[in-house]
Amino acid sequence: MKFSIDVLGVFLKVVVRINKETFAPLLVSTLFILLTSILAHCLRRLVNSLVKEPLVKLLLEEAIAAAELCGCCFELIIVADNFGVATYAVFLFALTVWWSLNWGDATACPYTHLEDIIEGKGDVRKAVLRTWAELVGGVAVFKYVQTYWALEIADTHKNRAYEDCQADLQVPVLYGAIVEGVATCLCRLASKTLGDLNPRFSTAIDAFIGTSLVVAGVLYKDTFYTYHFKDDSPLYSVFFMCKIPLGKAFDYSGGYFNPVLATSLKAGCDGHTLSEHALVYWLGACAGSLVSVYIYNSQAVQKFIKGTTEVNGDSIWADKED
């Protein structure tokens, strides 16, 4: 506890001095994310050294991972709102790599436990307990974030601590559930494939894919793909045009792809009911995850995976030289 207080004190002195001199709100956000990650890392090491019961240790690690995830993502909202989605993507990519390297067996994501149950790697009781631990960590961390925002060290934090939040769902509920489900399915398929092929830089590749799915189409926001067809024949003339909106999950449903993260950040916000929130961010994401299990275990996909196993050094393609 004393260590945490000392770290927080040094942190506040640094950010206040920097902010007074340069008014760098992005740096303030960056330092807060670093502080959150460092505190979570210290808590993980403390749990590993003091807790011996495997299940209790795992539950504590899930709570810490969920708190770290949601705490950082609260600040990423500030980054996205004030510095653009491209800056947000850079932060998210770096954090995803960090989390992959430091969380161990924790996932901070409920649908991974459902996948374990289907594949016979876990049981319902443990899945429920892990989900409960993740929700506790994800919801409890908001008080920590709110306390920091209330200090209003940077202009980007003014009036953010106690303001009413707005839902990110910009489309009908069913459409939002489909967006979350399809993107979650693609993300899980990529993770499973990388896990089996284990190429070099697989962690970075997986982080890049996940980040890309969240902000896919960022360069085409508010633009349309237009298809024209025209046929002038001697007997008739046909012409039609099709306009397809291009955008990103960030603009449709928020692009959370994680029920605990969505609940921590947006449950109870104005713009949708709790039942609509559950349908989009819990049912949609979990359904996409479960579909990914059946797709990945299908004969066609497994045949493809087995045909690209490692045969030359660490190349992932059987017919390619390193």
Side-chain angles (χ1 to χ4, degrees):
M1 179 64 69
K2 183 179 183 301
F3 173 78
S4 298
I5 295 174
D6 290 342
V7 170
L8 181 59
V10 172
F11 166 75
L12 290 176
K13 289 179 182 178
V14 170
V15 296
V16 168
R17 178 170 298 180
I18 290 174
N19 200 52
K20 281 183 177 179
E21 294 178 357
T22 64
F23 301 98
L26 181 58
L27 186 56
V28 172
S29 292
T30 303
L31 290 173
F32 174 73
I33 291 171
L34 289 175
L35 174 67
T36 304
S37 299
I38 291 171
L39 291 177
H41 182 69
C42 292
L43 285 174
R44 269 191 295 271
R45 296 193 63 175
L46 187 64
V47 167
N48 285 330
S49 62
L50 296 180
V51 180
K52 303 304 178 184
E53 172 61 35
L55 180 58
V56 175
K57 180 186 293 187
L58 180 59
L59 295 180
L60 289 173
E61 288 176 343
E62 287 286 9
I64 293 169
E68 181 182 4
L69 168 70
C70 297
C72 290
C73 286
F74 269 114
E75 192 63 30
L76 286 182
I77 295 175
I78 302 292
V79 173
D81 288 347
N82 293 277
F83 306 102
V85 179
T87 305
Y88 165 90
V90 172
F91 275 74
L92 181 60
F93 171 79
L95 284 169
T96 304
V97 172
W98 165 261
W99 296 330
S100 298
L101 296 175
N102 287 275
W103 280 2
D105 293 331
T107 66
C109 191
Y111 54 63
T112 59
H113 318 320
L114 293 179
E115 293 179 12
D116 288 341
I117 293 174
I118 291 177
E119 296 178 323
K121 301 176 183 177
D123 59 79
V124 175
R125 172 177 168 272
K126 183 179 289 188
V128 171
L129 288 174
R130 292 178 73 173
T131 301
W132 171 80
E134 290 159 359
L135 279 171
V136 170
V139 172
V141 78
F142 177 67
K143 192 62 180 178
Y144 157 78
V145 176
Q146 189 179 52
T147 301
Y148 174 73
W149 282 356
L151 297 175
E152 297 189 349
I153 297 173
D155 290 340
T156 51
H157 291 151
K158 286 188 179 299
N159 303 318
R160 295 302 293 261
Y162 301 102
E163 71 175 358
D164 294 332
C165 62
Q166 297 294 321
D168 285 333
L169 189 63
Q170 304 297 318
V171 294
V173 172
L174 182 59
Y175 188 14
I178 292 173
V179 170
E180 289 285 321
V182 170
T184 298
C185 180
L186 293 174
C187 191
R188 294 302 297 153
L189 286 172
S191 294
K192 293 174 187 295
T193 303
L194 290 169
D196 280 350
L197 297 180
N198 194 27
R200 284 173 291 184
F201 313 115
S202 60
T203 298
I205 295 171
D206 195 18
F208 177 80
I209 292 172
T211 303
S212 298
L213 287 171
V214 174
V215 297
V218 65
L219 298 177
Y220 302 99
K221 181 181 179 182
D222 300 325
T223 61
F224 292 83
Y225 169 76
T226 305
Y227 175 76
H228 298 268
F229 175 81
K230 186 175 184 180
D231 185 2
D232 292 315
S233 68
L235 299 178
Y236 58 85
S237 177
V238 177
F239 172 80
F240 72 86
M241 179 181 69
C242 178
K243 295 180 69 176
I244 303 174
L246 298 176
K248 51 186 181 294
F250 200 84
D251 285 330
Y252 295 147
S253 61
Y256 291 100
F257 315 147
N258 183 327
V260 167
L261 177 62
T263 298
S264 176
L265 270 62
K266 293 298 179 179
C269 291
D270 295 335
H272 56 49
T273 64
L274 286 177
S275 61
E276 291 172 338
H277 174 90
L279 178 61
V280 174
Y281 299 109
W282 282 84
L283 184 59
C286 289
S289 174
L290 296 181
V291 168
S292 75
V293 173
Y294 293 105
I295 292 176
Y296 190 76
N297 291 329
S298 66
Q299 185 176 359
V301 173
Q302 286 302 306
K303 182 178 180 180
F304 170 78
I305 296 297
K306 292 177 181 178
T308 58
T309 52
E310 178 181 333
V311 295
N312 285 318
D314 49 6
S315 172
I316 65 172
W317 305 112
D319 57 349
K320 299 289 187 181
E321 295 291 338
D322 288 332

